[in-house]
Amino acid sequence: MRTARVTLAVLLTAITLTSCGAKVSDAPDDKQPKAASGGSGGHYPVTISNCGVKTTYDKAPQRVVTNDVGIAEIMFALGLEDHMAGYVAPDYRTSRDDKGAAPWKSGYDKVKWLSKKEINKELVLDAKADLVFAGWNYGFGEGNGFTPEALKKLGVGSYVLTESCHNGGTGTSRGVMPPLEALYTDLETLGRIFDVEDRARKLVDGFKKQVADARAAVPKDGRAPRVFLYDDGKDKPLTAGAFAGPHDIITKAGGDHVMKDLDDSWVTVGWETVVERDPEVIVINNYGNVSAAEKKKFLMSYPPLAGVSAVRNDRVFVLDYVDLVESPRNPSAVAALAGYLKGVRGA
């Protein structure tokens, strides 16, 4: 069995190296091949930088495997379903989808759903992937041995979600730019990789307008309500720092993100910090086996939080996981939260 798996890996290495046409380089910028301009015929080779790593593509990847729902939707939003071998994600439907079809339902219908469980090398090899689009702690992890370096040895390329780039602050801290900028960066970079730059530019322009419109509706006078993002956890809460999606979603919606001083993306804090910063609104991240209703019940009944303004005034707002991690749903989440906070300001 082991011999057969090794043989398969060797064969697929040859296939993926040929099909993806990607070369990773550590050469300085002035030594990189220059991308040709023009249409698809003269577009390649193209060199991009992703989390500090430069990669040159001789042609567009054809069998991309994505991990997590937000990442799959980035590909769908760019219209790249035909370049995908499949996606790994839990059930993609969310509470906001119950009012209608998921924004990119056709992508989910068209692209193969490979697994609801953790992505791994065997799954990627079985899918004959030439590129894996995932993130640190969104699939990639040193602990599980599923890393861009490990995939490279198998002849499979990688693209790392920009929200998850390691920033060197600690051994695990993530985030190198504001969250919405990370989304726009990935859309524009993938636009170059797949020669859909016009489509990427239209998306980014549309998202920026959506965010600007939401911000324009925020009253200019008055204080911004203090907002805390609650992901999960009872002993200690998992929340969002300055480099996770909720920071920009809260801030652009007119709120004051109480954990804006944490130079990380998703991070655990102590309840005493939450109490001290006294949020006036708590945003719940809706996902997983613990429902948003159960999370709210815990927050409202947890004795240490009894004096917190959001708990005393029952000001809890729910957004879905795919709204809050880097995804094309971030701009609409800004608009949704802005509408709620407007009501809080007027209360």
Side-chain angles (χ1 to χ4, degrees), residues 33-210:
K34 302 302 181 184
S37 60
S40 57
H43 182 75
Y44 300 97
V46 61
T47 299
I48 60 95
S49 180
N50 171 228
C51 291
V53 176
K54 294 187 181 300
T55 305
T56 298
Y57 291 84
D58 293 328
K59 57 184 176 180
Q62 298 299 315
R63 296 192 59 79
V64 181
V65 169
T66 62
N67 183 74
D68 215 356
V69 59
I71 296 174
E73 292 192 356
I74 289 174
M75 294 290 288
F76 298 158
L78 286 166
L80 297 174
E81 293 91 340
D82 290 342
H83 290 266
M84 297 177 68
Y87 67 93
V88 176
D91 290 334
Y92 70 86
R93 283 191 62 82
T94 59
S95 62
R96 292 214 287 156
D97 290 338
D98 292 341
K99 299 174 184 176
W104 294 279
K105 185 177 185 300
S106 61
Y108 287 110
D109 292 342
K110 186 173 184 179
V111 179
K112 187 175 182 181
W113 193 350
L114 298 174
S115 177
K116 297 181 182 180
K117 299 179 181 179
E118 185 176 282
I119 192 170
N120 55 55
K121 296 174 189 175
E122 288 76 14
L123 181 152
V124 168
L125 291 175
D126 287 345
K128 299 180 175 62
D130 55 6
L131 184 76
V132 172
F133 181 9
W136 289 108
N137 289 24
Y138 294 91
F140 292 134
E142 297 288 356
N144 61 14
F146 190 80
T147 65
E149 292 76 15
L151 290 174
K152 183 180 177 183
K153 292 177 182 178
L154 299 175
V156 182
S158 298
Y159 184 91
V160 179
L161 186 75
T162 296
E163 180 184 271
S164 76
C165 295
H166 285 134
N167 62 23
T170 67
T172 59
S173 58
R174 296 171 290 164
V176 294
M177 63 181 70
L180 282 173
E181 187 178 333
L183 171 64
Y184 304 151
T185 294
D186 283 333
L187 289 168
E188 290 167 350
T189 304
L190 291 163
R192 294 185 64 211
I193 292 172
F194 291 94
D195 194 15
V196 290
E197 290 176 273
D198 288 346
R199 192 177 302 157
R201 191 175 300 112
K202 288 178 182 177
L203 278 172
V204 172
D205 288 347
F207 289 153
K208 287 182 176 179
K209 184 180 185 304
Q210 190 174 14

